[in-house]
Amino acid sequence: MKAGADLTDFRSVAIVAVGSNLTHDGKTPEKTVTAAVSALAATGFDVRAVSRFYDTPAFPTGSGPDFVNACAAYETTWPADRGLAHLHKAEAQFGRERAKRWAARTLDLDLIALGDAVVPDRAKVETWMSLPLELQGQATPSELLLPHPRMHERAFVLIPMADIAPTWRHPLLGRSVAEMVAALPGYMTEDVSVRPETATGR
């Protein structure tokens, strides 16, 4: 399934944000993203859709080279914790090192959502959703949180996700991906640009 294909039944669908801004083993970030999407599909996740690839400035500003970002949707029967462990294993296979928060990386795989699951509970996710920006770089959750507590603020997640799942609805905010994209400040959406070679989908 290519970019532009909309999923409508998300009950067993994992949405994964994929990004890279460092070369690894001779692979450019774009090639790493392509290889990672395929690697996940071959080892336990059944790929349903993949977005176009986008060029995105590193966050926070000045923290590294621009990223290549995408989103992929996978059918899975795995619980959230097992899915996350699978993503971390894949990151390690592509040379990911966790030296510090928001550092440049060979591969970043974030589990953004698993259907409409709220993990571990609404109160904890909402606490992290409301964390001030100045604390986000200092504090790291000790457990998996779903949906990702910062997804609604991040153009580099929402814009690729809108390629494949614009109707997915945030279980706490009640807004669809398309609605969350529309609510982003204009400068954020302008920063995220589709790579020319992927403009017609993959």
Side-chain angles (χ1 to χ4, degrees):
M1 195 176 291
K2 295 183 178 181
D6 179 23
L7 301 172
T8 56
D9 184 354
F10 301 102
R11 285 174 293 182
S12 58
V13 172
I15 303 293
V16 178
V18 189
S20 173
N21 70 337
L22 290 178
T23 59
H24 170 64
D25 198 24
K27 292 185 178 69
T28 63
E30 181 181 6
K31 290 186 181 301
T32 293
V33 170
T34 299
V37 169
S38 297
L40 289 175
T43 57
F45 283 159
D46 181 15
V47 65
R48 294 281 306 280
V50 182
S51 76
R52 293 171 291 180
F53 287 10
Y54 291 83
D55 289 318
T56 309
F59 178 84
T61 302
S63 62
D66 286 357
F67 271 84
V68 174
N69 284 111
C71 263
Y74 296 93
E75 190 82 22
T76 181
T77 58
W78 288 352
D81 55 351
R82 185 178 175 191
L84 181 64
H86 186 68
L87 298 183
H88 285 173
K89 182 178 179 181
E91 286 179 334
Q93 291 172 343
F94 283 86
R96 170 71 185 270
E97 296 180 358
R98 297 178 180 273
K100 64 177 181 178
R101 191 156 173 78
W102 292 337
R105 63 213 76 168
T106 56
L107 180 62
D108 189 20
L109 297 173
D110 278 333
L111 183 58
I112 300 300
L114 183 57
D116 61 357
V118 178
V119 178
D121 57 59
R122 184 184 187 106
K124 287 185 178 179
V125 177
E126 288 183 337
T127 294
W128 283 92
M129 287 173 65
S130 61
L131 195 70
L133 180 61
E134 60 270 19
L135 297 181
Q136 292 176 26
Q138 304 171 21
T140 304
S142 60
E143 58 191 331
L144 172 64
L145 301 173
L146 290 177
H148 190 291
R150 311 245 61 94
M151 65 166 296
H152 61 292
E153 300 175 347
R154 294 181 172 175
F156 63 85
V157 171
L158 290 175
I159 292 177
M161 191 172 171
D163 275 350
I164 58 173
T167 62
W168 179 87
R169 193 165 293 276
H170 197 293
L172 300 182
L173 298 177
R175 290 184 287 171
S176 70
V177 171
E179 290 168 340
M180 288 187 282
V181 170
L184 290 169
Y187 73 90
M188 294 179 68
T189 57
E190 291 168 4
D191 275 347
V192 180
S193 58
V194 65
R195 294 181 67 84
E197 61 269 35
T198 66
T200 56
R202 291 192 157 261

